[in-house]
Amino acid sequence: MRKKIIAGNWKMNKTPEEAQKLVEELKALVNTDKVDVVFCPPFVCLPGVIEAVKGTHIAVGAQNIHFEESGAYTGEVSAEMLKNLGVKYVILGHSERREYFHETDEIVNKKVLKALEHDLIPIICVGESLKQREQGITIDLVRLQTKIALKDVPADKAKELVIAYEPIWAIGTGKTATAEQAEEVCKAIREVVAEIYDQTVADAIRIQYGGSVNAGNAKELFEMPNIDGGLVGGASLKIDFSKIVNYND
Ligand code: PEP
């Protein structure tokens, strides 16, 4: 039985002071071991958030890393630095990074390998644009994104990581995929994982849905057989995040 994982992607929101306040408001409400809960604040908020969640079940994730170990990459942050800080997860290949920062599938793959080298758990984002959905290529595209992201990832590491299916047209738009649409793609991702590795890896890997998840739609989405939780943007910055985490209560 896969444990659900519900992660909040705070994106470029909250100062360290504001982050502290949000964690203080949320932490007692989302401190559960029934699901894995992850806060992914901006880099500068990570030390404070890591400190603030000490002694709870809440884990902390970053929103990006560079794929090189270290060196002359001004403005970048390495996997080793984050691991050293106490970060557990890292979101990789978010559609905003693909779109605004030109991250390709190959770059995402390099980042996945670097994260795993430092025992960070990648949350790998895949998903189609509205145009691609209308062209009928959603499944082909997501299969390809998944295959490239997982290139050279050994089975024992693949089992541990998380894939987030995030249709771009649903991110930050208030337009959620139906539970059936989300399930169809998450199932296809699990099938491609089984093709790359085997059924054991496919049964172990956790696949989230992301795209305008809120307190009202979380339960229906998370009850689908191939949806193992959510990657939540906007709603993770509000008290509503606790309703998403506690969707089953
Ligand atoms: C996201 O940023 O990953 C996301 C899913 O955002 P939102 O929940 O706001 O659509």
Side-chain angles (χ1 to χ4, degrees):
M1 184 65 179
R2 292 181 296 269
K3 193 173 184 184
K4 304 276 186 202
I5 172 163
I6 300 171
N9 174 13
W10 295 10
K11 310 195 187 193
M12 196 174 74
N13 292 295
K14 304 290 174 191
T15 63
E17 210 176 293
E18 290 165 347
Q20 215 64 24
K21 204 166 158 261
L22 182 62
V23 176
E24 288 313 322
E25 281 167 6
L26 273 177
K27 81 172 171 189
L29 303 172
V30 302
N31 185 21
T32 173
D33 61 359
K34 289 195 217 155
V35 301
D36 285 336
V37 178
V38 189
F39 290 157
C40 302
F43 286 131
V44 292
C45 301
L46 285 168
V49 172
I50 289 168
E51 190 57 37
V53 300
K54 274 202 180 129
T56 73
H57 295 287
I58 303 161
V60 178
Q63 299 173 18
N64 187 28
I65 53 167
H66 194 271
F67 55 77
E68 291 292 350
E69 183 62 25
S70 64
Y73 300 99
T74 303
E76 294 293 318
V77 170
S78 75
E80 186 187 24
M81 293 169 193
L82 295 171
K83 184 68 190 177
N84 184 266
L85 202 59
V87 167
K88 185 167 178 187
Y89 294 87
V90 60
I91 299 171
L92 295 175
H94 191 281
S95 63
E96 288 151 15
R97 295 219 52 91
R98 292 178 190 257
E99 185 181 346
Y100 306 135
F101 303 97
H102 316 295
E103 285 191 12
T104 61
D105 290 324
E106 287 71 21
I107 291 175
V108 175
N109 173 243
K110 284 193 201 180
K111 292 187 175 193
V112 169
L113 295 172
K114 186 50 77 180
L116 292 171
E117 199 182 309
H118 289 281
D119 287 324
L120 292 172
I121 302 173
I123 300 176
I124 305 168
C125 302
V126 297
E128 82 288 5
S129 65
L130 185 57
K131 187 168 171 210
Q132 289 162 333
R133 174 158 283 267
E134 285 169 354
Q135 287 171 333
I137 59 169
T138 297
I139 302 286
D140 290 335
L141 177 90
V142 165
R143 281 176 57 89
L144 190 69
Q145 288 175 325
T146 306
K147 276 192 176 176
I148 300 175
L150 294 179
K151 190 170 172 289
D152 298 329
V153 174
D156 60 323
K157 298 270 190 185
K159 264 188 196 167
E160 305 294 321
L161 56 75
V162 180
I163 298 177
Y165 166 53
E166 297 211 305
I168 299 168
W169 49 271
I171 298 178
T173 58
K175 223 177 144 196
T176 319
T178 64
E180 290 71 27
Q181 283 173 324
E183 167 64 16
E184 183 196 14
V185 183
C186 290
K187 183 166 176 277
I189 294 171
R190 202 174 301 286
E191 282 166 3
V192 75
V193 172
E195 287 168 29
I196 303 168
Y197 301 99
D198 55 29
Q199 199 55 45
T200 311
V201 176
D203 288 341
I205 204 164
R206 293 187 290 179
I207 304 174
Q208 298 173 311
Y209 165 77
S212 299
V213 173
N214 59 44
N217 59 28
K219 188 172 167 70
E220 195 191 352
L221 287 159
F222 299 171
E223 279 179 345
M224 288 309 221
N226 284 289
I227 302 181
D228 306 315
L231 182 55
V232 184
S236 71
L237 297 165
K238 304 182 207 145
I239 290 296
D240 253 25
F241 188 61
S242 66
K243 296 193 189 137
I244 298 172
V245 167
N246 301 301
Y247 72 96
N248 221 6
D249 289 352

